[in-house]
Every structure is written in C-alpha cells, then in structure tokens.
Amino acid sequence: EIVLTQSPGTLSLSPGETATLSCRTSQSLTGSFLAWYQQKPGQAPRLLIYDASIRATGIPDRFSGSGSGTDFTLTISRLEPEDFAVYYCQPYGDSRTFGQGTKVEIK
Amino acid sequence: EVQLLESGGDLVQPGGSLRLSCAASGFTFSSYAMSWVRQAPGMGLEWFSGITDSGGDTYHAESVKGRFTISRDNSKSTLYLQMNSLRAEDTAVYYCTKGSDTSRPYYFDYWGQGTLVTVSS
C-alpha cells in the first residue's frame, strides 16, 4: 500500500503570490501516474493535473505539476481568489489512495 | 457533456441498508471503469470501490468489504452501490467518478455532485 504525504497541511498566502504544494509517496510511481484535484467548499473535487504534469482540459496555465519517482509538486502561480481551496494528490497505478490534502487559505 | 448524477442518499439507522445510483450521460458508459469515492464530514477523500468497464472485476477497500457492493448496468448507463450493515463511520458524501482511460491506468476525470449518506439513530 502506497502512503502519501502532502505538505504543508495549510498554506496561508495572499492573492498574487505563488503556492508550492508537495506530495511524497512511499514508493516510486511508475509512469508518473499521479493526479492533482482541487476541491472548493461544498463542491465536488475537480481534476487539475494528470500524469504528474499535464493540465486537464480548461485548467489555467498558472497551475503546473512536476516531479517523478516519489516527489511531486503542484505550483500555483499568481494566486487568484478562486484558487483558495483544498488540493489532493492521488496516484493511479497500483494504488488510488488520496493524500490527506493541503488547504490553501487567504492570508 | 459528461454528467454523473448520484441519488439515493438518505438518513439511515445503524445496521440499515441503502442503495445509491449514479446515472451517467455524455459518454459511452460501457467503455469506462467507474468508482465510488466518499468524504466524511470535514475529512479527506477515500476511494473505496471500483468496477471495470464490463463489470467483470470489482474492488472494495477493507473498510467496506463484505458490506458494500458496487455494480453497474451498462444498458441503463447506471452505476450502483449497495450498502448494507451501515455504521456511523459510513456517514459521508458519496461521489461517483468516471475513469479517464480504457487502455492504461486511469485517474478520475469527471465527478458527480455527490449524495449525502447519514447513519444515525
């Protein structure tokens, strides 16, 4: 069973700043099969990134994903008010367990 | 446009049963794996059940194994979740999700709006 560790738990930033979210896996992910999802209060999660670095349809280019092996990063440049939300990472090879989430809140 | 519409959530007593449905449209339902993901109040996401495109293979996490059963009716483009022996810890919003690909490991590219299941006496 792959264990995911997302950090930090909460990120307090101002609009216009850059958010850097980390997702570490206990085992190396083959094929970089890792996705990122965004969830706003009262809404279903939405796919942002898949295959570690490919933006899903309609996702603005201020969202970028990177990494391989066991270390992955979601970067949100120039934070917009609508970007303040909870972000989850999820592998989808041998396991589909979600990370515990990182909350990006307004400072 | 892909749409996933869950229904069936309700307040149920501990030990009771419930069946959730997810009506799919906007894609060839029979070609994609489907899953259920749940989220307890104030908590994170838990993928706990999945089914292949044909329905021939299913997965249930240990937390629900023996109590929940995922199934699908491709002729009706509908995904189901039969929930028995419900416990307080099953209280959550239940999301139906669509698998992204037919020929490689899949992520969840579409999510329903969720249906709330509350287990309480």
Side-chain angles (χ1 to χ4, degrees), chain B residues 45-118:
Chain B
L45 302 170
E46 179 192 11
W47 174 64
F48 67 91
S49 195
I51 189 167
T52 55
D53 50 1
S54 67
D57 245 335
T58 61
Y59 163 83
H60 296 89
E62 286 300 321
S63 57
V64 305
K65 196 172 288 185
R67 300 187 300 122
F68 291 10
T69 303
I70 189 172
S71 63
R72 64 192 296 161
D73 185 337
N74 285 345
S75 69
K76 296 182 178 179
S77 296
T78 302
L79 178 72
Y80 301 101
L81 182 69
Q82 179 65 44
M83 310 165 68
N84 298 329
S85 303
L86 282 160
R87 306 167 179 167
E89 55 265 35
D90 295 319
T91 294
V93 174
Y94 285 72
Y95 295 103
C96 165
T97 69
K98 171 186 169 290
S100 58
D101 287 274
T102 60
S103 58
R104 46 156 277 174
Y106 61 86
Y107 44 91
F108 303 139
D109 56 354
Y110 289 94
W111 297 63
Q113 86 291 346
T115 188
L116 177 63
V117 173
T118 303

Side-chain angles (χ1 to χ4, degrees), chain A:
Chain A
E1 179 78 22
I2 294 177
V3 177
L4 280 78
T5 303
Q6 288 190 242
S7 61
T10 302
L11 203 47
S12 298
L13 295 167
S14 300
E17 292 191 298
T18 295
T20 303
L21 287 65
S22 171
C23 176
R24 290 202 167 129
T25 61
S26 59
Q27 300 173 32
S28 182
L29 300 187
T30 56
S32 293
F33 294 138
L34 185 108
W36 290 92
Y37 302 87
Q38 175 195 64
Q39 187 179 32
K40 298 178 183 179
Q43 296 185 17
R46 173 176 74 146
L47 175 68
L48 292 178
I49 300 284
Y50 63 93
D51 288 355
S53 63
I54 302 175
R55 277 187 301 277
T57 303
I59 301 303
D61 61 7
R62 63 179 182 273
F63 290 90
S64 63
S66 63
S68 63
T70 61
D71 287 317
F72 299 86
T73 300
L74 175 68
T75 302
I76 313 170
S77 304
R78 309 177 307 277
L79 278 164
E80 297 282 345
E82 62 267 29
D83 299 335
F84 292 92
V86 179
Y87 294 85
Y88 296 94
C89 63
Q90 184 207 27
Y92 49 92
D94 297 327
S95 169
R96 289 192 174 81
T97 302
F98 291 90
Q100 79 276 22
T102 291
K103 181 180 181 180
V104 179
E105 65 176 22
I106 299 178
K107 186 174 181 180

Side-chain angles (χ1 to χ4, degrees), chain B residues 22-43:
Chain B
C22 171
S25 61
F27 65 101
T28 305
F29 181 74
S30 59
S31 295
Y32 293 90
M34 300 291 292
S35 290
W36 289 97
V37 174
R38 66 183 180 179
Q39 185 171 37
M43 303 295 285

